[in-house]
Amino acid sequence: MSLLMCDQLTMAFGGLQVLRGLSFAVEPGQIVALIGPNGAGKTTALNLISGLGRPTSGAIRLEGRSIAGLAPAAISQLGVARNFQSLRLFLNMSVLENMTAVGYRRARTNTLQAVLWTPAFRRDAALWRARAEELLGLFGSRLGPHRYDQPAYSLSYANRRRLEIARALMTRPKLLLLDEPAAGMNPHETDELAALIAALPRRFGLAILLIEHDMGLVERVADQVIVLDHGAAIAVGSFAEVTADHQVIAAYLGQSARAAPDEPPEEEAP
Amino acid sequence: MNTPTIGHEEWAVELEARRDWRRDRWGWLQHQARQAPSAALVGLPLALALALALLFGNDYILRVAGTACIYGVLAMGLTLVVGQAGLLDLGYVAYFGVGAYAYALLASPQLGLHTPIWLALPAAIGAAMAAGLLLGVPGLRLNDDYLGIVTLGFGQVIVLLALKLDRLALPWAGATLDLTGGPNGILGIDPPRLLGWAPATQGHWLLVLAATLLAVLALASRVVDAPLGQAWRALREDPLAAAAMGLPVTRLRLLAVSSGAAIAGLAGALFAGWQGAIFPVNLDLSLLLTLYAAILIGGLGSLPGALVGAALLAALPEILRDPALGRALVYGGGALALILWRRWPGAALLAAGGCGIAIAASLATQADVTLAGNLALVALPIVLAALPLVRRPWQRLGLQAFTLVLATFAWETRLAAEPGLARPLLLGVALIAMLIVRPHGLFGRQRVTVV
């Protein structure tokens, strides 16, 4: 059974058809990249999967269970985590608190135990902190201990993206949705991130659905690439396969590119 | 794969912290405050003040201290809702009212009930929580200003109910029931009697109120540090991201509103027992404004800040009641503010102060200065508004001196004689000055918002 199964997903905002019958699947442990020109419906698809909208029609199944239209918090509890393209950190909280705030209701102890400061609560809190430190440690010293107590708003743009990924991992997801994780990073930082993303599925036993415009990153990490245009998948396959596809080249470069199918793939990124 | 790198932003943060420390005295105090645990920080001065009040205080001082305790409990509840969970609750005083009236009905001759405290107090708290949930559920989908408007209306409805429920029609009995006593309120409320002991003097009452305050402080500061408090702050920062991270937004909001309501209900019940009476006037809008002023002065979301703000707002109006004390406070505070502010040269301060006192003294000997004083009062805001427009140094200095003279004159001729007018005016000016100089309050942290 696929981990995530989207079947004939459509989404319309009034008369605007953003998704028209999008179908794809993500297998456990896989990294799937969703690419396509701006306005193709990539982020909308991610929003529907994470519960920030209800699809007009179609089904979304997580391990066979329908999750279309469930509340974001419920979907998160089922094991889907995400970051946000437009960065949604808890800005006025410290780096460490951004991580541990996820612990309410996931921790094994309740507020009464916290108020009474019971040994069980202290053990639990230490566990959560250790987990937060472990995940922040994924980024080496970039989110090292010297930053734990800094407010999130003081972080650089790239560090905010890193913190969002770490925060999403705090929820122990089975499926991690990454919306342009490398946006605003320089080539060196993007390389670093690619190595990290490629290592995540094995290390944490999760699958990743990735939206990214950096084709170098997609080529490095994606097991499967889905190309979206006008709300429908126009090509599915490995990176090499889809970049050779005439339809894909046409979608990225316009109709006239059909005449020149030998266009090198490096120039396809917008 | 990573090498240690120092981003530019770290340097910026450290610089900001150093500047904060040096820029003003409060920065230093705040720095110290961050190091110390908040309970010790507030508990120590609080215990000292209470000991002084109990040892040397007369009934009047004990009553003011008691009011400060009630304000403190209320402000802590409010800062949990508004400062931690980020819900603009303008109906907060209604929960105080529900708690007070519920306790009054259960323990007074009004309905002939004299319920013991261990039953009446939880019932009053429960009633306040129920009122919180009643408002919280329909308000769930509202945010910010909209939530504020709805809760403000709700608060007024409770006041109206207290006013009008003295003639509650009972159709089956063909009679009316006097539930709340209308504008006359409920009188003869029992003091809380526990294990055969009931507070009899103001000193006893202060002990009860202070013990309640400390209990609420301990509980609230634990909750703020607990995962629940973190989740509330996450909700305040970004409800959508909080939901996407699996935090139960609805439940958290209801918990915040009902926790605040429970604390307000507790304060209400104690207030009713302390006063022995409760009136609709006690649920006045001015109480709401006082509480908001307290948590803003103390710093939104900070429990020590809420307590300090509450103590200031309970004590200041009483100090201003006495003309001599009021004068000392105004001139002392004004001089201190000008020295701390440092933008107005000391020469202007001295010149203006001297001029002002001389003019005021000479005029005060004459027959009637009311008209001149009134004119000065009218002119003062105009001059204040003109101040930022003047750019040339000498004109600026002259206008600053003139402003000080005018303010001194207005104070001496009109306001000092009318504390009823001077008190709210001075509090308003102090609040405005506070929000200009230190918008995040005494104990608050600077916050950023991204629009």
Side-chain angles (χ1 to χ4, degrees), chain A:
Chain A
M1 184 172 36
S2 302
L3 178 64
L4 177 75
M5 183 81 187
C6 289
D7 192 21
Q8 289 298 314
L9 219 49
T10 68
M11 184 70 189
F13 297 105
L16 184 67
Q17 282 279 338
V18 181
L19 292 179
R20 310 158 192 258
L22 174 64
S23 301
F24 67 92
V26 179
E27 305 300 328
Q30 220 183 13
I31 299 183
V32 176
L34 211 53
I35 67 170
N38 290 329
K42 306 183 294 289
T43 297
T44 303
L46 228 59
N47 284 348
L48 294 184
I49 296 167
S50 57
L52 300 185
R54 179 189 283 273
T56 312
S57 71
I60 308 171
R61 293 181 186 284
L62 188 74
E63 298 180 311
R65 177 181 170 168
S66 172
I67 58 168
L70 284 188
I75 291 177
S76 166
Q77 298 283 354
L78 289 175
V80 179
R82 68 169 295 171
N83 75 340
F84 290 89
Q85 186 184 351
S86 54
L87 288 172
R88 283 176 164 272
L89 284 171
F90 307 131
L91 283 179
N92 291 304
M93 294 166 71
S94 72
V95 167
L96 207 57
E97 269 201 324
N98 264 275
M99 304 286 288
T100 50
V102 174
Y104 178 71
R105 268 187 113 188
R106 284 179 206 275
R108 274 183 300 252
T109 46
N110 58 30
T111 302
L112 186 65
Q113 284 166 301
V115 167
L116 295 176
W117 198 244
T118 60
F121 167 74
R122 273 178 284 171
R123 270 199 303 278
D124 213 21
L127 261 164
W128 273 98
R129 188 181 162 113
R131 179 164 174 78
E133 288 180 358
E134 180 201 338
L135 291 175
L136 290 172
L138 289 176
F139 300 99
S141 63
R142 291 186 185 280
L143 291 175
H146 63 295
R147 294 213 200 278
Y148 286 176
D149 293 325
Q150 285 183 8
Y153 66 71
S154 72
L155 294 179
S156 71
Y157 195 70
N159 269 342
R160 291 186 194 189
R161 292 225 170 272
R162 295 186 182 107
L163 181 55
E164 272 215 335
I165 296 172
R167 184 180 68 176
L169 289 172
M170 261 322 254
T171 67
R172 298 181 194 274
K174 296 171 190 152
L175 175 67
L176 178 62
L177 309 174
L178 293 178
D179 196 347
E180 299 203 22
M185 290 193 181
N186 66 32
H188 173 68
E189 292 171 332
T190 307
D191 268 1
E192 230 179 64
L193 186 71
L196 177 78
I197 290 176
L200 285 180
R202 191 176 291 264
R203 179 157 177 189
F204 296 104
L206 48 76
I208 295 176
L209 180 63
L210 170 84
I211 294 177
E212 188 48 66
H213 280 305
D214 187 314
M215 288 305 139
L217 178 77
V218 173
E219 185 175 11
R220 254 184 90 178
V221 306
D223 300 317
Q224 195 183 31
V225 179
I226 300 164
V227 187
L228 236 65
D229 192 28
H230 295 295
I234 54 170
V236 179
S238 70
F239 185 77
E241 282 164 18
V242 299
T243 45
D245 191 296
H246 290 191
Q247 262 190 304
V248 175
I249 297 167
Y252 267 99
L253 300 178
Q255 289 297 315
S256 62
R258 253 169 217 253
D262 294 328
E263 204 75 34
E266 282 79 8
E267 289 178 24
E268 284 168 9

Side-chain angles (χ1 to χ4, degrees), chain B residues 353-363:
Chain B
C355 286
I357 291 166
I359 293 173
S362 67
L363 278 174

Side-chain angles (χ1 to χ4, degrees), chain B residues 66-82:
Chain B
T67 307
C69 287
I70 292 275
Y71 280 0
V73 172
L74 282 170
M76 281 194 288
L78 186 63
T79 215
L80 283 186
V81 183
V82 183

Side-chain angles (χ1 to χ4, degrees), chain B residues 96-407:
Chain B
F96 173 76
V98 169
Y101 270 95
Y103 180 78
L105 287 175
L106 287 173
S108 77
Q110 184 75 13
L111 297 181
L113 294 173
H114 295 280
T115 321
I117 179 70
W118 51 267
L119 214 62
L121 197 62
I125 294 172
M129 282 178 82
L133 290 177
L134 189 72
L135 182 64
V137 172
L140 273 177
R141 294 183 177 279
L142 300 174
N143 272 317
D144 306 334
D145 317 357
Y146 301 100
L147 184 66
I149 292 166
V150 168
T151 49
L152 185 64
F154 176 76
Q156 294 314 296
V157 167
I158 294 290
V159 176
L160 276 179
L161 283 180
L163 272 172
K164 299 292 180 194
L165 282 188
D166 55 344
R167 288 189 305 277
L168 182 63
L170 302 176
W172 61 89
T176 60
L177 174 70
D178 180 7
L179 198 62
T180 64
N184 299 327
I186 299 176
L187 304 170
I189 301 169
D190 304 339
R193 181 176 294 280
L194 200 61
L195 302 174
W197 181 83
T201 66
Q202 287 299 327
H204 291 172
W205 265 109
L206 185 56
L207 283 176
V208 170
L209 295 174
T212 310
L213 181 82
L214 287 176
V216 171
L217 172 66
L219 193 71
S221 58
R222 289 297 312 137
V223 169
V224 164
D225 287 341
L228 177 61
Q230 293 189 346
W232 276 344
R233 290 192 287 282
L235 181 70
R236 173 193 80 198
E237 292 299 315
D238 194 329
L240 186 72
M245 291 302 121
L247 295 181
V249 172
T250 305
R251 188 190 155 113
L252 284 168
R253 286 182 67 140
L254 288 178
L255 260 175
V257 171
S258 52
S259 309
I263 294 176
L266 170 68
L270 282 175
F271 179 77
W274 179 33
Q275 301 295 312
I278 184 77
F279 310 100
V281 198
N282 296 135
L283 319 180
D284 209 345
L285 211 54
S286 70
L287 177 60
L288 183 72
L289 298 180
T290 306
L291 293 177
Y292 265 92
I295 64 171
L296 286 176
I297 286 177
L300 209 52
S302 154
L303 293 172
L307 288 184
V308 171
L312 280 178
L313 281 165
L316 272 185
E318 299 304 324
I319 294 174
L320 291 173
R321 209 185 278 279
D322 180 352
L325 277 178
R327 179 173 285 142
L329 196 74
V330 165
Y331 289 125
L336 197 69
L338 286 176
I339 289 165
L340 285 181
W341 205 355
R342 266 180 281 175
R343 259 179 237 167
W344 288 18
L349 168 70
L350 287 175
C355 286
I357 291 166
I359 293 173
S362 67
L363 278 174
T365 54
Q366 291 172 20
D368 187 23
V369 288
T370 310
L371 180 65
N374 284 342
L375 284 176
L377 258 187
V378 173
L380 195 58
I382 300 171
V383 178
L384 275 175
L387 263 177
L389 302 176
V390 181
R391 296 251 171 257
R392 292 203 183 135
W394 281 108
Q395 291 180 0
R396 216 182 151 78
L397 189 68
L399 198 60
Q400 283 169 356
F402 181 62
T403 310
L404 291 174
V405 171
L406 212 58

